[in-house]
Amino acid sequence: METDRIHVVCPHCIATNRLDAARIDEHPNCGRCHRPLFEAHAMPVDESGFRRMLEKTELPVLVDFWAAWCGPCRMMAPELDKAAQRLAPRVQVLKLDTEAAPRASAEHGIRSLPTLVLFGGGREIDRISGALRAPDIVNWVVPRVVG
């Protein structure tokens, strides 16, 4: 009997893991670092981790482009964490600091903060700018990733 396998990048060590898709809800750990592949909060990544996630992860990836000086970004941070709890393990939720990742921000045309960008298969599916509450984030993401 053949099982469907998916590739998921660990948000901690950026290793690519191959998982049985039917067992994704069983709280899998990374084969390399043994930490959880899915956290109950948005995971910070640097530019190289962000690129690897987009290239290798077969799950949808929601990225919060933010900056420490941005008041609305700081207001939305706990709401994004709540949304990440509800979206995991079907969507990986990341935070990318635009000050530390200017190249990725420029490549993706980030003009206002916070901006949430939803990726699927390494490509942008949709984006939305401005601070949102957790239910609004979830309600924005789910119809775009459920097929």
Side-chain angles (χ1 to χ4, degrees):
M1 179 168 92
E2 186 142 339
T3 60
D4 289 331
R5 300 288 217 172
I6 59 170
H7 290 103
V8 176
V9 175
C10 175
H12 304 285
C13 71
I14 312 300
T16 302
N17 291 261
R18 208 168 82 150
L19 302 177
D20 179 348
R23 300 183 72 189
I24 198 168
D25 291 317
E26 295 177 12
H27 308 287
N29 289 330
C30 175
R32 181 189 291 165
C33 73
H34 309 291
R35 295 174 72 184
L37 288 176
F38 304 102
E39 294 283 351
H41 58 88
M43 293 296 297
V45 291
D46 61 13
E47 259 179 322
S48 66
F50 166 71
R51 290 184 201 295
R52 177 122 174 128
M53 283 283 192
L54 294 187
E55 291 170 5
K56 300 293 182 182
T57 294
E58 293 179 13
L59 294 173
V61 177
L62 177 64
V63 181
D64 174 23
F65 288 86
W66 71 284
W69 52 261
C70 169
C73 297
R74 291 193 313 270
M75 280 181 12
M76 189 175 78
E79 296 297 312
L80 185 65
D81 286 341
K82 290 176 195 172
Q85 288 175 344
R86 294 184 51 198
L87 294 168
R90 303 285 176 230
V91 176
Q92 286 188 298
V93 181
L94 308 175
K95 294 179 69 68
L96 187 65
D97 182 349
T98 57
E99 296 290 305
R103 191 166 146 199
S105 301
E107 286 173 3
H108 291 283
I110 303 303
R111 305 270 183 263
S112 63
L113 299 177
T115 294
L116 295 176
V117 181
L118 183 62
F119 294 92
R123 294 186 156 158
E124 182 175 329
I125 295 172
D126 204 356
R127 69 174 55 202
I128 190 168
S129 295
L132 299 170
R133 297 187 60 234
D136 299 322
I137 296 169
V138 171
N139 290 335
W140 179 74
V141 170
V142 170
R144 287 161 176 78
V145 298
V146 176

